[in-house]
């Protein structure tokens, strides 16, 4: 039986509605949470992401503003921007869009963001709060993965969770969240021996690798839940053919769009996995939409934590 497809777009929409309702309640009490996005220079991909974040902020009723220092900005210039945002009381969340230009020391910049306003959850203080199960700001994509699992009624406690990828942005925080939710967690990476065999132990398999279609059916235990975090732009016709050339995985709409645009967005999980897995997130329309939804949630959470009020619980279904 083909896998149940976990609809990330629908879950993200639900979360954004819940956040919008919370923002409305806060507005009635005279508080409007504010998000500042810092975008340095003109990276076309970053510009697209930032546009999406600003649009979503407006839709849920947050105050949002963009700061756009030039491509030539130095570490000192950006520290001054961050310092100003840290001081402004009406700003609850600060997001520095990565990557920063090469002359800028990214770690110094991310460390300078006030942990209470660090809506990306990358500051070591928030990493520490997560690993000791204290209230803090959790990175958006990993928090989104948890929302997909919880709202899809996938059991987590006691389950074997295998994560492929150990980045600070995705793999490690997902591992910590799953461990906090009482899964038995294994984190794999490029030096892991017998990766397919390890992955086949998973009840929940998380792919956060950055390699188009690497997770084939050999990696998946029948019935497992597979969460595909990967977002890979495929431009090579041979790679496209490997992923979508099979009789079962033919996808006319995607073929048309690949032919017209010369590229398509694919995950780390091969489409054939839909024949083995019990549940699977699609790409696009799986984890991706949750990242912005959780950024909206984190901005409201930061506003509440800073003001010492109760943080809104997200409904779990
Ligand atoms: P990184 O490049 O930082 O990390 C990739 C990880 O995968 C590393 O730990 C690496 O191992 C591991 N890896 C690479 N090749 C292999 C291999 N052959 N076998 C086993 N492990 C391997 O990537 P990110 O974590 O930042 O992102 C991962 C994917 O998720 C990307 O496709 C990215 O675009 C996507 N992403 C999607 C988001 C969304 O909103 N949906 C948000 C963020 C990321 P090692 O550490 O040993 O090098």
């Amino acid at each position: 039986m083909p896998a149940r497809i976990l609809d990330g777009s629908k879950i993200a929409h639900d979360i954004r509605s819940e956040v919008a309702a919370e923002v409305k309640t806060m507005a009635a009490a005279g508080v409007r949470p504010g998000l500042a996005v810092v975008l340095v220079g003109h990276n076309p991909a970053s510009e697209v992401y930032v546009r999406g974040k600003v649009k979503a902020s407006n839709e849920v009723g947050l105050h949002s503003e963009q700061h756009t220092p030039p491509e030539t900005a130095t570490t000192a210039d950006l520290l001054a921007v961050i310092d100003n945002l840290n001081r402004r009381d009406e700003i609850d969340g600060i997001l520095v869009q990565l990557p920063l230009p090469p002359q800028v020391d990214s770690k110094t910049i991310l460390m300078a963001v006030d942990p209470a306003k660090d809506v990306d959850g990358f500051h070591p203080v928030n990493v520490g709060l997560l690993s000791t199960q204290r209230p803090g700001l959790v990175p958006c994509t990993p928090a989104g993965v948890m929302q997909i699992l919880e709202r899809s009624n996938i059991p987590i406690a006691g389950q074997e969770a295998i994560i492929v990828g150990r980045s600070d942005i995705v793999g490690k925080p997902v591992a910590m969240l799953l461990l906090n939710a009482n899964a038995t967690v294994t984190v794999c990476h490029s030096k892991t021996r017998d990766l397919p065999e390890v992955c086949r132990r998973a009840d929940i398999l998380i792919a956060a690798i950055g390699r188009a279609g690497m997770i084939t059916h050999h990696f998946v235990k029948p019935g497992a839940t597979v969460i595909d975090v990967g977002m890979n732009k495929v431009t090579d016709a041979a790679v496209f053919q490997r992923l979508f050339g099979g009789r079962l995985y033919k996808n006319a709409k995607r073929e048309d769009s690949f032919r017209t645009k010369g590229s398509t967005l694919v995950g780390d999980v091969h489409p054939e996995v839909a024949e083995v897995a019990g549940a699977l997130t699609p790409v696009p329309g799986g984890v991706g939409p949750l990242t912005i939804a959780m950024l909206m949630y984190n901005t409201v959470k930061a506003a509440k934590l800073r003001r010492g009020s109760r943080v809104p619980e997200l409904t779990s279904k």
Side-chain angles (χ1 to χ4, degrees):
M1 198 168 59
R4 169 183 161 209
I5 300 300
L6 306 177
D7 186 349
S9 301
K10 156 93 173 60
I11 294 170
H13 178 268
D14 291 348
I15 291 173
R16 281 160 69 151
S17 303
E18 289 165 33
V19 171
E22 191 68 35
V23 171
K24 216 168 159 185
T25 310
M26 291 173 84
V31 177
R32 188 169 183 217
L35 174 66
V37 182
V38 180
L39 170 65
V40 185
H42 293 287
N43 176 326
S46 295
E47 283 172 349
V48 171
Y49 292 140
V50 167
R51 262 202 304 278
K53 290 169 185 177
V54 170
K55 183 167 171 266
S57 303
N58 294 336
E59 282 168 9
V60 300
L62 299 175
H63 161 73
S64 77
E65 55 186 49
Q66 256 192 81
H67 295 260
T68 52
E71 187 72 41
T72 52
T74 62
T75 303
D77 296 334
L78 295 186
L79 284 176
V81 173
I82 301 294
D83 184 50
N84 176 258
L85 295 170
N86 282 344
R87 286 169 195 273
R88 285 177 51 204
D89 196 44
E90 71 277 24
I91 296 300
D92 294 288
I94 302 171
L95 184 144
V96 181
Q97 185 64 44
L98 300 176
L100 292 171
Q103 76 277 10
V104 174
D105 180 349
S106 301
K107 282 201 170 148
T108 300
I109 300 301
L110 295 182
M111 280 287 281
V113 174
D114 178 349
K117 298 188 178 188
D118 168 39
V119 280
D120 259 337
F122 295 160
H123 193 287
V125 165
N126 282 315
V127 177
L129 291 171
L130 174 61
S131 78
T132 52
Q133 290 187 269
R134 292 181 168 90
L137 296 166
V138 177
C140 300
T141 304
V145 167
M146 296 304 288
Q147 286 297 316
I148 293 181
L149 293 172
E150 286 169 12
R151 290 176 188 242
S152 307
N153 296 317
I154 307 287
I156 300 174
Q159 301 294 296
E160 190 90 37
I162 312 280
I163 297 135
V164 191
R166 56 171 161 183
S167 73
D168 293 342
I169 296 172
V170 189
K172 282 186 207 160
V174 165
M176 198 52 75
L177 286 164
L178 286 164
L179 185 60
N180 289 349
N182 296 320
T184 301
V185 175
T186 303
V187 183
C188 304
H189 46 77
S190 64
K191 308 289 185 296
T192 298
R193 263 188 288 127
D194 300 327
L195 186 64
E197 194 181 309
V198 177
C199 289
R200 277 199 301 272
R201 292 207 313 257
D203 302 307
I204 299 171
L205 178 63
I206 315 275
I209 313 162
R211 290 181 188 253
M214 191 186 109
I215 301 295
T216 59
H217 73 277
H218 300 293
F219 291 68
V220 180
K221 175 170 81 175
T225 296
V226 181
I227 305 289
D228 190 355
V229 183
M231 290 210 303
N232 311 292
K233 188 173 169 183
V234 167
T235 50
D236 183 336
V239 176
F240 184 86
Q241 185 64 19
R242 174 173 74 78
L243 293 171
F244 298 104
R247 185 176 55 83
L248 286 170
Y249 323 115
K250 274 210 172 302
N251 183 330
K253 231 165 106 187
R254 212 188 263 260
E255 267 175 40
D256 280 350
S257 118
F258 183 71
R259 223 171 286 121
T260 335
K261 286 203 298 194
S263 70
T264 191
L265 187 71
V266 304
D268 291 339
V269 175
H270 194 290
E272 70 185 18
V273 167
E275 302 302 311
V276 190
L280 174 67
T281 57
V283 176
V287 175
L290 266 299
T291 300
I292 289 188
M294 296 315 292
L295 174 66
M296 303 298 104
Y297 173 73
N298 270 356
T299 305
V300 169
K301 186 178 181 186
K304 295 248 175 182
L305 284 173
R306 275 200 327 123
R307 289 168 177 78
S309 40
R310 196 189 56 81
V311 172
E313 289 285 338
L314 285 170
T315 51
S316 63
K317 282 173 198 157

